[in-house]
Amino acid sequence: MILHKKISNQAKRSWLLISLIAFTAMTIAACNPSNFKSTAAQVPQLVSSILSDPKTFNYALSSESPNIFGITFEGLTTENPITAEIEPNLAESWETADDNLGFTFTLRENLKWSDGQPLTVDDVVFTYNEIYLNEAIPTNARDVLRIGESRALPNVKKIDDRRVQFTTSEPFAPFLGVLGLPILPAHALEKSIKTKDQEGKPIFLSKWGVDTPVDQIIVNGPYKLEGYDTSQRVIFQRNPYYWRKGLQGESQPYIERIVWPIVESTDTSLLQFRSGSLDTVAVTPDYFSLLKKQEKQGNFTIYNGGPATGTTFVFFNLNKGRRDGKPLVDPAKSRWFNTVEFRQAVAYAIDRQTMINNTFRGLGQTQNSPITIQSPFYLAPEEGLKTYDYNPEKAKELLRKAGFKYNAQGQLLDAEGNRVRFTLLTNAGNRIREAMGAQIRQDLGKIGMQVDFTPLAWNTYTDKLSNTLDWDASILGFSGGLEPNSGVNLWSPEGGLHMFNQKPQAGQKPIEGWEVAPWEARIGELYIQAARELDVAKRKEIYAETQKITQENLPLIYLVNPYSLSAVRNKFVNIKYSVLGGPFWNIHEINIIQ
């Protein structure tokens, strides 16, 4: 997982952001991208799109996609999605400490923010010490910076005007990649950290919301915000102070403008792309055959990166806690969900091959691990990873073993005679997930379970998952990457994305009686152990154990890994498609042939 996935586009995804879109939707009729092309015909631009509105322009407070940060912010390092190597970014170089306890980075000369102010070591120190390492700021970035059993945070200090030192309390293998976290501007944000509201909290917590005038959002990436119209579009313009230069010393990026229409229908995205209004579209399996026939006529190319790096899964609410004396999950349901045979039965009952054949049109493969297949730490089934091939009779056998029974109508009952019925949620508008949910409802019906499948609007959906915790089961996806530790905020019981048994986060109501299962704690311990191990072979052994535990206990029931497919107009030059970065990971060097 990279988290997946970005530092440029990659290191930021690399931190397990919640994947709002398994497949990106592109536009809406009320916001036709052709309007952008007519009004800005002379401006080299890319018209892509997103599924819903961004939730914040503040990177530190973001945990979802779509977001703007892949093209607006950069960090000290970046992961090259072609070679998977960690490369210099805002830092031109680094030195490793003799005791392997950190790094000293040297910044590039003459870096600037999008408002023309100098970007200095002081910004780096501010970003880490005042934001990422500040316990008063509820940021998921802190999860991937915690080190060892003590969960200690690194020490960050200025050496001189161009050098900054990061020191860890013990060896931390993922550290170099983690330091691709975006650097944020001290001159624009420092006051909001020091100023407190009536509750004594930094006003930074409400800084750079989506209602902030876009000219106040100061960035260091290739693009800055030009405009945002709620439910309509996000517009970016080239950052004139971006540091990268071309071979002839010319300023990059070359594309002047990027437009993201906002849409909630993948059907509309297909229509808009076929009409020529969009420059690119994620190719979902149900579109592939049609678009493949039109490649030449439409003057576009479909890029296929093979299995995607993200994950899609079903999971149950395992939280045994209470709020205000009321159980978060109905006690009868909680007993079902927390029975491992129940979860295993569900895994055996889902016909993933039929899902691949029908919903994915054969353009995918079964998924069995939280670690992406491209990662050197992936454990294959032939190496001992447990799998759950479709076997409804095995599912029924497990349920009976766990004390469940069937009535004369074939309905599944628990030991107390309660009918097994629960609600399965996902985000509305994502046709692939909706089709997956419909099949899961049918598959589980065959083993006697009644599943009420309910797609919800994204904001309502995520509020249930991360705030009220009022839900039974869900279909969701995470972005992914090569480094497993980028998923530590999922697998640590204290992590901000440990959603199958979520601990209350900063500012939320407390939970009484929250419990951590022994296997759950063990996974968290192993992630700590793997992060401090510098020997790659030994790290692989540790992560192999984590994968075995997750597949035995199934906190997440993995479904299908689709192929990474995108259609892009042939007018874009220097596309270097990568499953880790997609078609525009190198947006700074992509040009347009008119």
Side-chain angles (χ1 to χ4, degrees):
M1 288 188 182
I2 59 211
L3 217 183
H4 273 154
K5 237 154 198 123
K6 290 166 183 312
I7 320 176
S8 65
N9 294 357
Q10 289 318 298
K12 294 170 200 163
R13 292 180 200 144
S14 114
W15 181 112
L16 241 199
L17 299 173
I18 296 178
S19 201
L20 167 58
I21 44 175
F23 305 98
T24 307
M26 290 293 167
T27 186
I28 49 177
C31 183
N32 194 317
S34 63
N35 296 334
F36 306 130
K37 292 182 179 291
S38 61
T39 58
Q42 305 306 314
V43 177
Q45 66 177 14
L46 164 65
V47 183
S48 181
S49 71
I50 50 176
L51 185 63
S52 67
D53 291 88
K55 303 302 181 292
T56 181
F57 295 148
N58 188 328
Y59 175 80
L61 304 181
S62 176
S63 61
E64 302 167 333
S65 63
N67 60 62
I68 68 167
F69 310 115
I71 59 174
T72 55
F73 284 99
E74 294 186 351
L76 297 174
T77 62
T78 185
E79 181 185 59
N80 185 310
I82 300 295
T83 66
E85 296 294 324
I86 302 300
E87 298 178 343
N89 205 21
L90 296 181
E92 68 177 17
S93 63
W94 61 80
E95 296 177 0
T96 304
D98 292 338
D99 54 7
N100 287 316
L101 297 181
F103 302 91
T104 298
F105 290 87
T106 300
L107 289 190
R108 298 180 187 276
E109 292 187 284
N110 301 318
L111 292 171
K112 292 184 178 181
W113 293 100
S114 58
D115 61 356
Q117 293 295 310
L119 191 164
T120 69
V121 164
D122 293 326
D123 291 297
V124 178
V125 174
F126 164 78
T127 298
Y128 281 89
N129 286 342
E130 302 300 325
I131 298 180
Y132 296 151
L133 307 183
N134 184 350
E135 299 285 359
I137 307 299
T139 176
N140 281 330
R142 194 157 48 252
D143 286 336
V144 296
L145 289 164
R146 294 195 183 278
I147 303 163
E149 295 174 7
S150 67
R151 312 307 288 143
L153 294 166
N155 177 269
V156 183
K157 72 174 183 178
K158 178 178 179 178
I159 301 298
D160 55 37
D161 288 344
R162 289 184 59 203
R163 292 188 300 160
V164 58
Q165 183 182 70
F166 289 76
T167 306
T168 60
S169 56
E170 60 183 75
F172 187 44
F175 198 34
L176 190 60
V178 168
L179 295 177
L181 289 168
I183 303 303
L184 304 175
H187 71 282
L189 297 174
E190 188 170 22
K191 183 177 179 181
S192 70
I193 295 288
K194 295 179 178 178
T195 305
K196 305 296 192 293
D197 62 17
Q198 293 180 342
E199 297 179 358
K201 298 178 180 179
I203 64 171
F204 177 85
L205 302 186
S206 58
K207 188 74 171 176
W208 283 8
V210 292
D211 56 348
T212 303
V214 295
D215 60 357
Q216 295 181 20
I217 311 299
I218 310 302
V219 304
N220 60 29
Y223 290 91
K224 63 179 183 176
L225 282 166
E226 177 181 315
Y228 170 54
D229 299 313
T230 305
S231 300
Q232 295 185 56
R233 66 186 73 84
V234 185
I235 304 174
F236 304 87
Q237 61 178 280
R238 189 172 69 87
N239 175 6
Y241 297 104
Y242 185 54
W243 64 272
R244 289 185 186 270
K245 305 293 182 183
L247 295 177
Q248 306 302 320
E250 72 277 13
S251 295
Q252 293 179 325
Y254 303 118
I255 298 173
E256 293 282 346
R257 202 166 182 243
I258 295 178
V259 182
W260 289 355
I262 298 167
V263 64
E264 297 181 359
S265 167
T266 52
D267 286 338
T268 306
S269 74
L270 175 64
L271 292 173
Q272 294 287 355
F273 181 76
R274 293 178 66 199
S275 73
S277 299
L278 290 174
D279 293 319
T280 182
V281 67
V283 179
T284 55
D286 46 341
Y287 300 162
F288 179 79
S289 295
L290 175 62
L291 288 175
K292 192 65 180 175
K293 295 175 183 176
Q294 297 179 338
E295 269 186 303
K296 186 174 181 179
Q297 177 186 354
N299 195 26
F300 61 84
T301 298
I302 296 178
Y303 294 90
N304 183 351
T309 58
T311 57
T312 305
F313 46 84
V314 174
F315 63 121
F316 292 95
N317 192 342
L318 305 184
N319 202 315
K320 298 179 181 179
R322 301 176 301 279
R323 268 191 175 141
D324 300 323
K326 180 182 177 181
L328 292 168
V329 182
D330 175 87
K333 293 180 180 179
S334 185
R335 287 193 296 272
W336 310 338
F337 301 161
N338 280 283
T339 299
V340 67
E341 291 87 355
F342 180 91
R343 301 194 298 274
Q344 290 176 342
V346 169
Y348 278 120
I350 297 174
D351 190 347
R352 296 183 297 163
Q353 189 57 53
T354 292
M355 192 175 285
I356 291 172
N357 296 342
N358 294 347
T359 300
F360 291 85
R361 308 297 199 273
L363 299 171
Q365 62 185 45
T366 55
Q367 187 169 27
N368 299 295
S369 171
I371 295 179
T372 182
I373 192 172
Q374 294 90 349
S375 172
F377 304 106
Y378 169 75
L379 181 70
E382 52 269 25
E383 296 175 302
L385 184 67
K386 186 178 179 69
T387 61
Y388 294 85
D389 295 332
Y390 181 55
N391 190 337
E393 293 307 313
K394 176 70 172 177
K396 291 179 181 179
E397 176 187 331
L398 284 166
L399 290 167
R400 290 190 180 99
K401 176 184 175 183
F404 292 87
K405 56 191 175 182
Y406 288 92
N407 63 17
Q409 291 75 41
Q411 297 171 335
L412 185 66
L413 310 176
D414 65 15
E416 285 73 40
N418 299 302
R419 174 86 189 275
V420 175
R421 179 178 183 176
F422 58 86
T423 300
L424 175 64
L425 305 179
T426 197
N427 53 301
N430 188 316
R431 287 187 57 187
I432 295 295
R433 286 192 190 160
E434 290 179 351
M436 295 170 82
Q439 183 190 317
I440 290 170
R441 177 183 59 199
Q442 294 177 352
D443 287 346
L444 298 188
K446 294 175 183 177
I447 61 167
M449 298 182 184
Q450 182 170 339
V451 178
D452 301 314
F453 178 51
T454 309
L456 296 176
W458 179 249
N459 287 344
T460 303
Y461 178 48
T462 55
D463 183 61
K464 285 181 174 291
L465 290 180
S466 61
N467 185 20
T468 68
L469 309 185
D470 174 26
W471 58 281
D472 294 339
S474 181
I475 303 173
L476 195 64
F478 286 146
S479 58
L482 302 183
E483 171 53 61
N485 193 70
S486 63
V488 70
N489 55 351
L490 164 63
W491 295 114
S492 169
E494 307 288 327
L497 291 178
H498 193 72
M499 292 184 299
F500 57 88
N501 187 20
Q502 187 70 67
K503 183 180 180 180
Q505 301 302 294
Q508 295 181 348
K509 287 185 177 182
I511 294 176
E512 305 89 37
W514 180 69
E515 298 180 16
V516 176
W519 59 263
E520 190 179 352
R522 179 59 178 159
I523 295 173
E525 292 167 359
L526 287 168
Y527 266 76
I528 292 171
Q529 184 180 338
R532 62 160 62 109
E533 179 56 66
L534 300 181
D535 184 285
V536 174
K538 292 180 180 179
R539 290 190 82 206
K540 182 175 174 63
E541 292 176 2
I542 297 169
Y543 284 124
E545 186 176 348
T546 70
Q547 293 166 83
K548 290 177 181 178
I549 295 174
T550 57
Q551 277 299 91
E552 180 65 32
N553 292 278
L554 293 178
L556 309 180
I557 300 171
Y558 292 101
L559 298 171
V560 172
N561 193 355
Y563 294 153
S564 175
L565 302 165
S566 292
V568 181
R569 302 287 172 199
N570 292 332
K571 66 180 182 179
F572 292 95
V573 180
N574 209 20
I575 298 289
K576 300 175 182 178
Y577 193 83
S578 161
V579 65
L580 290 171
F584 295 103
W585 66 269
N586 59 328
I587 186 65
H588 61 278
E589 60 184 4
I590 292 175
N591 215 329
I592 297 176
I593 299 176
Q594 297 292 352

